[in-house]
Amino acid sequence: MTERVRVREIDDDEGQRLLRIIRRGTGSVVTWRRAQTVLLSAQGMPVAKTAEVTFTSADRVRDVIHNFYADGFESLYPKYRGGRPRTFTLPERREIKKIAKSKPAEHGLPFSTWSLAKLADFLVAEGVVDDISHEGLRILLEEGVSFQRIKTWKASRDPDYAAKKARVEHLYAIADGEVIPENGEPDVVLCLDEFGPLNLQPHPGRQWAERGGRHKDPDREPRPRRRATYTRRHGVRHLFAALDLGKDKLYGHIKPKKNRTRFLEFCRYPRSLYPPEIRIAIVLDNFSPHLTTKKDTRVGDWAAANNAEFAYTPTNSSWLNRIEAQFTALRYFTLDGTDHASHKEQGSMIRRYIIWRNKHSADIRLRAIVMGANVA
């Protein structure tokens, strides 16, 4: 007669550990069921009865017991594979993304744009990957790269275009955790720009309203016309904003003017959020108050004194600045469909939006607008 399958003899500590797993209200159901099977077997219950109590098959009970013999308590915890492993490694995905965002002419090819076939052939010819299909290039969508219509502001004649673009992209790789910063490189990366001018005028937008035409209520009063703003006696304001890429936090101050003095005043705020020994990098465009000139060296002096680096985007390439997409969302959520009576009211709404945005950075609608506007 064959010997009955039964778990090995367990000691008091192992028995108490099995009891804790079974009595615990949280954790994996799979672990709980396996621990129950082992404990019942240790208490002398036959395989058939254990299968009946645990609502499983006798073969499954035997597998659990044999696995416990071989691996002990490790066999109680499921090891989910998570599906098929990624086809391409992280360095390969990064290189595919980099080449797809470049122009074929930069690689000596007589084409103005990449097609799927040309891009796949080039990646294989250059040894980036051994093989890739059109379907495999779907990873570009996962990396936030889409096929977009060419616009003039996506081209730059800056003689230092390649070096500036490479530096900005390297800083983004540090912020995204794709590259470990070396000694002397910044640990914190911010994107900075101004939004405005902020006028007190009606902004078209969308809202819920009663339908017109044949569905119109005959007793409804006419809709008010937009307010005319030929004369604006209240002036304008400007929003200085910075996006911390590591924390995904947006900071903003509203200023009456947009000059070098106001710019440096705002730079002190994000700098104050980190200890002086932590080096920061600020990505920004070539707007004249952002630059150091022969007559005014305050910007460069401030950067040297505050352990900061200003990384300028190439001329006519402010689209490389990731904060531009945040301004699209700000305009959509805060300004569209408004007619503020004062700058105080308008500024209050913008500040409350920034607070809301930082608390709801994972909001689906917000992320959709930002991703749709982001090209960097």
Side-chain angles (χ1 to χ4, degrees), residues 41-57:
S41 178
Q43 291 171 351
M45 184 176 292
V47 170
K49 185 64 175 177
T50 302
E52 182 182 345
V53 172
T54 57
F55 299 98
T56 187
S57 66

Side-chain angles (χ1 to χ4, degrees), residues 32-86:
W32 177 84
R33 191 177 296 279
R34 291 176 182 177
Q36 185 187 39
T37 301
V38 172
L39 186 60
L40 291 175
S41 178
Q43 291 171 351
M45 184 176 292
V47 170
K49 185 64 175 177
T50 302
E52 182 182 345
V53 172
T54 57
F55 299 98
T56 187
S57 66
D59 290 338
R60 183 58 186 156
V61 172
R62 294 188 185 95
D63 289 341
V64 172
I65 294 173
H66 288 312
N67 291 337
F68 190 80
Y69 262 116
D71 301 323
F73 279 87
E74 288 296 322
S75 66
L76 303 182
Y77 300 96
K79 298 178 176 62
Y80 298 113
R81 296 293 181 183
R84 190 184 71 177
R86 284 194 169 188

Side-chain angles (χ1 to χ4, degrees), residues 293-313:
T293 63
K294 294 181 179 180
K295 295 183 179 180
D296 195 335
T297 61
R298 285 182 293 169
V299 173
D301 296 341
W302 182 91
N306 290 273
N307 195 19
E309 172 192 351
F310 287 117
Y312 297 99
T313 60

Side-chain angles (χ1 to χ4, degrees), residues 81-94 136 139 142-143 178:
R81 296 293 181 183
R84 190 184 71 177
R86 284 194 169 188
T87 306
F88 305 108
T89 63
L90 181 61
E92 289 174 341
R93 295 168 70 94
R94 190 183 304 150
I139 63 170
E142 300 174 7
E143 297 293 332
E178 298 178 354

Side-chain angles (χ1 to χ4, degrees), residues 167-178 186-193 241-251 270 273-274 280-284 311 313 319-326 357-358 361 367 370 374 376:
R167 181 56 183 169
V168 171
E169 290 181 339
H170 179 70
L171 293 176
Y172 288 165
I174 292 176
D176 296 338
E178 298 178 354
D187 298 303
V188 177
V189 180
L190 302 104
C191 294
L192 187 149
D193 202 3
L243 176 66
D244 190 325
L245 299 183
K247 295 181 178 179
D248 194 16
K249 296 286 187 181
L250 184 66
Y251 309 103
L273 300 177
Y274 295 94
I280 68 172
I282 301 177
V283 178
L284 67 173
T313 60
W319 56 270
L320 268 173
N321 196 335
R322 289 186 178 179
I323 200 172
E324 296 289 345
Q326 301 295 328
R357 183 256 173 227
N358 291 336
S361 57
R367 291 179 65 87
V370 172
N374 196 7

